[in-house]
Amino acid sequence: MLASGRNPPYLQRMTQPSRADSIRERENDVIILLVDDELIEAELFRGLLEAEQNLEFHYCPRAAEAIAQANQIQPTVIMQDLSMPGDHGLSMITRFRANPETKDTPVVVFSGQEDSATKSLAFGLGANDYIVKSVDRVELLARLRYHSRAYWNQRLRDEIYRALRESERQLWDSNASLVEANRKLTEALGEVKQLTGLLPMCACCRRVRDDQNYWSELSAYVSAHTDLRMTHGVCEDCLEQQAKDMGLTPAQVEALTQRFRQNRASG
């Protein structure tokens, strides 16, 4: 597939959970940006690639526009001609490497002459390959696909590392939350008051002896040593006895007891 002057579909924003899968789906795609001032060279190059699948070809005739176009299309391989007016191809390698969007994009120098000194300088500036324009078509495609796959592999590794760092951060936050929750629970348990051991109680008045050997009411002791708050009522047995002591007749006592039971059942 050949394209020029348009945004490829993969530039659509990807959601965080699907980034790695999206990269894996694109690993066979080759997006080429040729930077060359000779239109005829671009057309010859386009003809070599025309029958290839999963391949996009973009052409930039002016070095001054190369960075902006690369940022837009995000190529997997940049083919850089060495002989360009006003801006030598070697300086473009430096500019691509200084640009955050293309610092890891493979740059292949595309030159009409094979010169060892120029090759050495190009590789020293950050070029990934050096291809002479008379190269065989099969070799050219193989080298371009190799560099494109390396680009996608680097993208995939970066995404996996990013996802791993994010998972580690979330795990750290979860552990911190658990530590804080455990601290609060420990503090809460420390505030819980418990009664253990034997509690001396008077067999007659039912008062209890506290830690200072003072006799006090059971309700007061429980309130001081636990978080319980006691209320008072009358059980059925005591109610009947109290009613009799107050001089109520057996019928009145029975009626009072029945009402007591009904209130308890409904409450």
Side-chain angles (χ1 to χ4, degrees):
M1 177 175 62
L2 301 180
S4 180
R6 64 179 180 83
N7 289 334
Y10 76 94
L11 285 179
Q12 298 176 357
R13 184 178 298 276
M14 295 180 257
T15 58
Q16 293 289 339
S18 64
R19 283 181 176 175
D21 291 337
S22 298
I23 293 173
R24 291 188 182 96
E25 292 174 358
R26 300 283 304 180
E27 63 182 2
N28 291 321
D29 293 349
V30 182
I31 301 95
I32 299 172
L33 173 62
L34 172 64
V35 184
D36 193 331
D37 62 310
E38 293 291 340
L39 180 58
I40 189 171
E41 294 285 355
E43 292 304 321
L44 289 173
F45 199 87
R46 187 192 300 270
L48 290 175
L49 306 176
E50 193 167 12
E52 292 299 308
Q53 298 294 321
N54 300 323
L55 190 147
E56 293 182 8
F57 175 73
H58 299 264
Y59 169 57
C60 180
R62 287 175 289 276
E65 300 173 1
I67 295 295
Q69 190 168 343
N71 290 344
Q72 181 183 20
I73 68 174
Q74 295 187 7
T76 61
V77 181
I78 297 173
M79 303 261 330
Q80 177 62 57
D81 180 41
L82 281 186
S83 302
M84 297 191 70
D87 200 341
H88 196 275
L90 291 177
S91 66
M92 285 302 303
I93 299 174
T94 303
R95 292 177 61 191
F96 282 127
R97 287 292 168 255
N99 179 42
E101 296 295 325
T102 57
K103 63 182 181 63
D104 297 320
T105 305
V107 176
V108 177
V109 173
F110 197 49
S111 175
Q113 41 183 310
E114 187 164 356
D115 178 69
S116 298
T118 304
K119 282 185 179 181
S120 177
L121 182 57
F123 286 122
L125 292 174
N128 298 85
D129 205 346
Y130 190 104
I131 295 179
V132 179
K133 292 184 179 181
S134 59
V135 66
D136 177 74
R137 177 178 180 274
V138 174
E139 179 184 348
L140 172 65
L141 290 173
R143 290 163 78 168
L144 292 178
R145 290 193 180 278
Y146 169 81
H147 291 299
S148 181
R149 177 63 68 88
Y151 169 82
W152 287 119
N153 287 340
Q154 180 64 47
R155 286 276 303 275
L156 182 59
R157 285 194 297 270
D158 291 345
E159 175 55 28
I160 291 174
Y161 289 147
R162 185 206 63 81
L164 178 61
R165 289 193 297 269
E166 177 63 18
S167 297
E168 290 176 344
R169 186 193 64 78
Q170 293 178 359
L171 180 60
W172 177 268
D173 291 343
S174 298
N175 287 340
S177 298
L178 289 175
V179 170
E180 178 63 16
N182 185 63
R183 184 189 64 79
K184 292 181 179 180
L185 179 60
T186 301
E187 291 178 355
L189 291 175
E191 296 176 357
V192 174
K193 299 177 181 179
Q194 296 181 347
L195 291 176
T196 58
L198 298 176
L199 180 64
M201 175 180 288
C202 177
C204 297
C205 67
R206 303 299 180 182
R207 290 187 298 173
V208 296
R209 189 172 63 199
D210 59 21
D211 300 335
Q212 284 75 37
N213 287 325
Y214 288 105
W215 292 94
S216 60
E217 295 294 333
L218 178 61
S219 60
Y221 183 88
V222 171
S223 296
H225 290 77
T226 70
D227 291 329
L228 294 175
R229 294 297 179 266
M230 302 183 67
T231 61
H232 295 81
V234 181
C235 67
E236 294 181 24
D237 294 338
C238 292
L239 175 64
E240 183 176 352
Q241 183 60 46
Q242 290 289 326
K244 290 179 180 179
D245 293 343
M246 293 171 61
L248 299 180
T249 65
Q252 291 174 324
V253 172
E254 179 62 24
L256 183 62
T257 303
Q258 288 297 328
R259 286 200 302 273
F260 178 83
R261 290 172 179 170
Q262 292 174 358
N263 292 335
R264 185 180 63 182
S266 62

